[in-house]
Amino acid sequence: MMKRQLHRMRQLAHTGSSGRTPETAEFLGEDLLQVEQRLEPAKRAAHNVHKRLQACLQGQSGADMDKRVKKLPLMALSTTMAESFKELDPDSSMGKALEMTCAIQNQLARILAEFEMTLERDVLQPLSRLSEEELPAILKHKKSLQKLVSDWNTLKSRLSQAAKNSGSNQGLGGASGSHTHTTTANKVEMLKEEEEELKKKVEQCKDEYLADLYHFSTKEDSYANYFIHLLEIQADYHRKSLTSLDTALAELRDNHSQADHSPLTTAAPFSRVYGVSLRTHLQDLGRDIALPIEACVLLLLSEGMQEEGLFRLAAGASVLKRLKQTMASDPHSLEEFCSDPHAVAGALKSYLRELPEPLMTSDLYDDWMRAASLKEPGARLEALHDVCSRLPQENFNNLRYLMKFLALLAEEQDVNKMTPSNIAIVLGPNLLWPPEKEGDQAQLDAASVSSIQVVGVVEALIQNADTLFPGDINFNVSGIFPGLAPQEKVSSQQVSEELPPVTVPAPATTPAPTPAPASMAVRERTEADLPKPTSPKVSRNPTETAASAEDMTPCPASEPAFTSLPCHLKYACSGGPGSSYRGQRRP
């Protein structure tokens, strides 16, 4: 008994880390041993993938098409849309769009249901058979073989021991010895018969197991195809979905564009103003100066030249969005935004920032940087003049127009606190930025240094606007705002050929206060509560009064870049009295 236990312990020790027992190893060649080692991992992989893939299904597993579609979230969405568009005007653009979107969600749900049914048939079911039937059957044969071999080895040990005992008893004399010898011999014969029978079972089970291993090795490629076929089914599903979406979108856009006959939206679509190249914008609208640049400059010349922190203080997001939409759909209605110069300045910055290529061009970026690196003022100015001359004509015209305006804005720096340096800090990154490159931290650091150089370039352009861009300029070049007569300060230089001058009348005296129009009267704080610039300008009859004693009370500044904020802006920054100044501006 002890010997049998020791023999079994040696077998377990020999099994060890190899993952196989000597009972099967002695029947297998090296190639089949490798196949045997892949059985258990293959079973686990098939089982785990089947389980996770089953969890990805959105429909009811095993159901037919109609039942499966009803359970899909996309079909629930389609049903909700169908119920919703019934309440809308069927001739309205929203109603038509919702109805078509409802139909495409229904179609997408059926494509998804078809995909899941194919997935179940061609991938999930084969993986289930592999992990639950085919591989477990092979592993069962392996265990049976191991047990038979173990029993056979045990029986052979017993037979060997019985044969030894029979030989020992044969040497003993007497009747007692003869009887013992006969009994032992009979036992040996019985063990031999059992051993022969068990040997036949081992051979039969071994043949079955070897056949299983050969079958598995030849089928491994087909098992791998389950996963390849999964990707093929997914690709086909996504192609069908994308084709349906593309077809529906094209039809939907076509119907929507035909239904939209508004002359305001067709005259200057939003997509042709913001986010398109300067050349495309100018060609589509037949302009020399970009619409947002001219419109915003004229509005600011009319109302914003002495506004403190212009381009620095942010406007409300909703006001800015509405202004940009009006810019695209009905630019003749922009005068209503005169009362919010910060929103106008924000719309101008947004246009420059959303250009696909900077106004000062990516091609000349390195040239601008080289010019900025020159220390000697004369050489630097000459280099800037050279780079300006190499700008495309449309970029040059718009940059000249903008710099002339910014030079005028800087002349009011005692009031608006916007020096050329301050203007360059807030506008420079919107006029010129480095070409997009993938790089390491060193390149990012270089880009940070270049942004400082960009500020230096823009500041120099503003300070030398009359030298780099000689000639007077007509800001109302397209006549888009005949109602606005901005108080322009024009250069005494000769007129450029691109933009002919307009004689600017001398500033009139400040008009007498008159009641504000009804459209401007509804504000959280009236214009009468605010200080007005002392320099004359043409506006929409705003009420001009002196600042109240409360507004003139000293208070701590909240903007470190502007240390001389007037009190009404300081209170607005801190949430005190005047926090609703001019449409709730945000610092």
Side-chain angles (χ1 to χ4, degrees), residues 467-515:
T467 302
L468 296 171
F469 308 103
D472 297 335
I473 194 166
N474 173 20
F475 288 107
N476 198 359
V477 62
S478 66
I480 190 172
F481 298 124
L484 289 180
Q487 177 193 345
E488 302 174 24
K489 296 185 179 182
V490 296
S491 170
S492 60
Q493 302 288 338
Q494 292 295 322
V495 182
S496 68
E497 295 180 0
E498 295 80 19
L499 300 172
V502 168
T503 304
V504 181
T509 58
T510 304
T514 59

Side-chain angles (χ1 to χ4, degrees), residues 507-553:
T509 58
T510 304
T514 59
S519 61
M520 299 177 61
V522 184
R523 295 180 184 168
E524 294 184 26
R525 186 174 180 184
T526 63
E527 296 285 349
D529 297 328
L530 306 174
K532 279 291 184 177
T534 56
S535 62
K537 59 185 176 181
V538 180
S539 63
R540 300 172 60 196
N541 298 325
T543 303
E544 296 179 340
T545 59
S548 62
E550 179 186 351
D551 289 336
M552 299 303 293
T553 304

Side-chain angles (χ1 to χ4, degrees), residues 146-202:
Q146 289 174 342
K147 185 177 185 309
L148 287 173
V149 171
S150 177
D151 293 343
W152 186 33
N153 290 333
T154 301
L155 188 58
K156 287 191 293 184
S157 298
R158 290 174 58 194
L159 178 60
S160 176
Q161 185 63 39
K164 289 181 181 180
N165 293 337
S166 176
S168 299
N169 293 330
Q170 188 175 4
L172 296 176
S176 175
S178 176
H179 176 72
T180 302
H181 172 71
T182 301
T183 303
T184 305
N186 291 336
K187 184 177 180 180
V188 169
E189 288 299 323
M190 290 176 58
L191 289 175
K192 283 184 178 180
E193 292 177 1
E194 291 180 13
E195 191 267 341
E196 286 294 331
E197 184 177 354
L198 193 55
K199 180 180 179 182
K200 292 178 181 179
K201 292 182 179 179
V202 169

Side-chain angles (χ1 to χ4, degrees), residues 332-360:
H332 297 281
S333 301
L334 288 172
E335 292 181 44
E336 65 173 290
F337 296 97
C338 281
S339 60
D340 197 343
H342 291 287
V344 176
L348 178 55
K349 286 173 62 177
S350 181
Y351 172 75
L352 296 172
R353 182 171 59 251
E354 293 177 24
L355 284 173
E357 182 187 42
L359 183 61
M360 295 169 67

Side-chain angles (χ1 to χ4, degrees), residues 210-447:
L210 291 177
D212 288 339
L213 290 180
Y214 280 119
H215 179 74
F216 174 75
S217 65
T218 58
K219 292 280 291 183
E220 274 190 292
D221 287 342
S222 63
Y223 298 151
N225 283 333
Y226 297 157
F227 305 107
I228 298 173
H229 196 39
L230 166 63
L231 299 181
E232 291 173 345
I233 296 172
Q234 287 179 315
D236 184 60
Y237 159 68
H238 288 295
R239 273 194 297 268
K240 289 181 178 178
S241 299
L242 181 59
T243 300
S244 298
L245 286 170
D246 285 341
T247 303
L249 277 173
E251 184 179 352
L252 184 59
R253 287 179 180 139
D254 184 56
N255 292 342
H256 186 63
S257 62
Q258 290 177 2
D260 188 5
H261 298 294
S262 171
L264 299 180
T265 55
T266 56
F270 192 75
S271 60
R272 291 164 58 193
V273 178
Y274 280 84
V276 299
S277 69
L278 178 65
R279 175 171 295 179
T280 299
H281 169 69
L282 298 179
Q283 290 177 349
D284 287 351
L285 301 185
R287 302 182 59 85
D288 292 323
I289 302 300
L291 172 62
I293 295 179
E294 181 182 357
C296 292
V297 164
L298 289 175
L299 291 172
L300 293 175
L301 283 170
S302 174
E303 287 285 339
M305 297 299 284
Q306 295 188 339
E307 187 72 25
E308 187 162 347
L310 195 66
F311 292 106
R312 177 66 174 83
L313 299 178
S318 60
V319 178
L320 179 59
K321 182 178 181 180
R322 187 164 61 89
L323 192 158
K324 292 170 65 176
Q325 291 174 338
T326 305
M327 184 84 68
S329 61
D330 188 15
H332 297 281
S333 301
L334 288 172
E335 292 181 44
E336 65 173 290
F337 296 97
C338 281
S339 60
D340 197 343
H342 291 287
V344 176
L348 178 55
K349 286 173 62 177
S350 181
Y351 172 75
L352 296 172
R353 182 171 59 251
E354 293 177 24
L355 284 173
E357 182 187 42
L359 183 61
M360 295 169 67
T361 75
S362 299
D363 290 342
L364 296 177
Y365 178 82
D366 293 336
D367 298 315
W368 290 116
M369 293 300 99
R370 279 191 289 270
S373 65
L374 297 175
K375 302 300 182 183
E376 202 277 316
R380 189 182 193 190
L381 187 60
E382 183 178 353
L384 291 175
H385 184 277
D386 176 66
V387 181
C388 287
S389 67
R390 288 187 282 120
L391 282 168
Q393 190 62 50
E394 58 269 15
N395 295 72
F396 177 85
N397 290 344
N398 282 268
L399 183 64
R400 175 180 182 269
Y401 183 97
L402 187 59
M403 290 303 153
K404 288 286 195 178
F405 161 71
L406 296 178
L408 290 179
L409 181 66
E411 291 181 13
E412 303 287 347
Q413 60 184 274
D414 291 340
V415 179
N416 60 35
K417 310 304 177 187
M418 294 305 294
T419 63
S421 176
N422 286 339
I423 296 172
I425 289 173
V426 294
L427 274 184
N430 301 307
L431 290 168
L432 181 64
W433 56 83
E436 293 185 4
K437 295 180 180 179
E438 297 182 359
D440 53 17
Q441 186 61 41
Q443 290 176 314
L444 296 176
D445 294 340

